[in-house]
Amino acid sequence: MHPALLMFIAARHVEQRVLAALREAGHDLTLAQARLLARVPEDGIRLTQLAESAQVTKQTAGFLVDQVEKAGYVERVPDPTDARARLVMVGPRGRQAQKVARTIERRIEREWAEHLGPDRLRLVTDALSDLRQITDPFL
Amino acid sequence: MHPALLMFIAARHVEQRVLAALREAGHDLTLAQARLLARVPEDGIRLTQLAESAQVTKQTAGFLVDQVEKAGYVERVPDPTDARARLVMVGPRGRQAQKVARTIERRIEREWAEHLGPDRLRLVTDALSDLRQITDPFL
DNA sequence: CTCACTTGGTAAGATTCCCTGACCAAATAT
DNA sequence: ATATTTGGTCAGGGAATCTTACCAAGTGAG
């Protein structure tokens, strides 16, 4: 079985667990919204960069940001360095959601460490980090 | 960075490469169609099982099968063991597409082996196979 | 300074994907 | 026989995404 398919399976599992945990915590985010929110850094990001990072068009990113903005997860503030641009910033509610996500992610990581053994998991993580150089178009 | 996100990045990269290769070979499949087609085994599969395997509803699977059937990638034949059911079988065109996909997949695997070293890649693949036991809802 | 070009973003419209709920027909179990 | 399960379709709608086109602010060259 191709490693990429195995990665897909594991990654999908995590996404679903995270999404479920968010819902349980009262955050009714769609998958696409959650993926976007996950990529908004603490110090804000421009829509165009966000789109690039999430691998969607600017229009799609704008559409999704509109939604999570309306729901109170992010805010758009003027970019002080460029009058055309605005920065998408994580709001309080978004920060709380990110915290929920990180918590369940850590739990899953512990599960994986138990299942594989911590050193094997570390090997996998390291290898995947290396792999990123030839698989991540964003960097 | 969470291993699952790294997996997501790598898996997405492969999907896009495969999709591009398919397009180049004249197969104009959408992502969802390709994902489905990838799960149709040589000896056929029932729609319900296909849906389960691809993690979509029966309706979605039926919708997608309709499309790839119209485009000549699969055929629906009566299931000899159950008069209600039909088997989705890979057609000649579908087999050709699968071949294209497997070729590019092998190429990517070689790239990864070069980048990581063959033994590290094998460690990763083995670990991911083990991980499947706790991440694959289908098995 | 001004004119072309780039960059950040929005608008409109269509398509694709996928879901829920309801339903039917064949098979299986009691 | 009747009830339940299993395989599948139909109808309708919502979410995500794309393409094409556009506008407005910044940037660079002459």
Side-chain angles (χ1 to χ4, degrees):
Chain A
M1 202 161 185
H2 198 277
L5 185 48
L6 297 168
M7 292 177 192
F8 177 80
I9 290 169
R12 183 179 55 186
H13 172 251
V14 173
E15 269 189 342
Q16 287 180 349
R17 293 270 300 271
V18 170
L19 220 53
L22 284 170
R23 263 188 248 285
E24 221 168 300
H27 297 291
D28 232 331
L29 293 161
T30 66
L31 179 57
Q33 288 169 358
R35 281 183 182 164
L36 206 83
L37 197 55
R39 295 175 182 273
V40 178
E42 197 50 40
D43 55 341
I45 187 172
R46 290 190 191 162
L47 187 65
T48 304
Q49 287 179 284
L50 186 55
E52 222 181 304
S53 147
Q55 303 266 289
V56 296
T57 59
K58 295 186 291 182
Q59 291 84 335
T60 299
F63 178 71
L64 293 169
V65 167
D66 283 349
Q67 296 175 349
V68 292
E69 186 180 24
K70 230 167 272 169
Y73 290 95
V74 301
E75 294 159 22
R76 283 196 247 223
V77 304
D79 184 334
T81 73
D82 191 329
R84 296 166 301 177
R86 281 177 298 169
L87 291 176
V88 179
M89 309 276 296
V90 187
R93 192 168 162 74
R95 222 177 317 275
Q96 202 210 326
Q98 286 183 343
K99 200 173 162 187
V100 171
R102 275 194 301 272
T103 300
I104 180 77
E105 278 170 5
R106 273 197 296 269
R107 169 144 67 241
I108 293 170
E109 209 168 344
R110 276 200 304 276
E111 290 172 9
W112 288 7
E114 269 176 46
H115 190 76
L116 296 177
D119 29 322
R120 270 179 97 205
L121 177 56
R122 193 158 23 251
L123 280 173
V124 169
T125 308
D126 288 351
L128 286 169
S129 290
D130 286 354
L131 216 47
R132 200 176 159 205
Q133 290 167 8
I134 59 170
T135 56
D136 192 343
F138 185 60
L139 194 251
Chain B
M1 203 161 185
H2 198 278
L5 185 48
L6 297 168
M7 292 177 193
F8 176 81
I9 290 168
R12 183 180 56 187
H13 172 251
V14 173
E15 270 189 341
Q16 288 180 348
R17 293 271 300 271
V18 170
L19 221 53
L22 284 170
R23 263 187 247 285
E24 221 167 300
H27 298 291
D28 232 331
L29 293 160
T30 67
L31 179 57
Q33 288 168 357
R35 280 183 182 165
L36 207 82
L37 197 55
R39 294 174 183 273
V40 178
E42 196 51 39
D43 54 340
I45 186 171
R46 291 191 190 161
L47 186 66
T48 304
Q49 288 180 285
L50 185 55
E52 221 180 304
S53 147
Q55 303 265 290
V56 296
T57 59
K58 295 186 292 182
Q59 293 87 329
T60 299
F63 178 71
L64 293 169
V65 168
D66 283 349
Q67 296 176 347
V68 292
E69 186 180 23
K70 230 168 272 171
Y73 289 96
V74 301
E75 295 160 21
R76 282 196 248 222
V77 304
D79 184 333
T81 73
D82 191 329
R84 295 166 302 178
R86 282 177 297 170
L87 291 175
V88 179
M89 309 276 297
V90 188
R93 192 167 161 74
R95 223 178 315 276
Q96 202 210 326
Q98 286 184 343
K99 200 173 161 187
V100 171
R102 275 195 301 272
T103 300
I104 180 78
E105 278 170 5
R106 273 198 296 268
R107 168 142 70 240
I108 293 170
E109 209 168 344
R110 276 200 305 276
E111 290 173 10
W112 289 7
E114 268 176 47
H115 190 77
L116 296 178
D119 28 323
R120 270 178 97 205
L121 178 56
R122 192 157 25 250
L123 281 172
V124 169
T125 308
D126 289 351
L128 287 169
S129 291
D130 286 354
L131 216 47
R132 202 177 157 204
Q133 289 167 10
I134 58 170
T135 56
D136 192 343
F138 185 60
L139 195 249

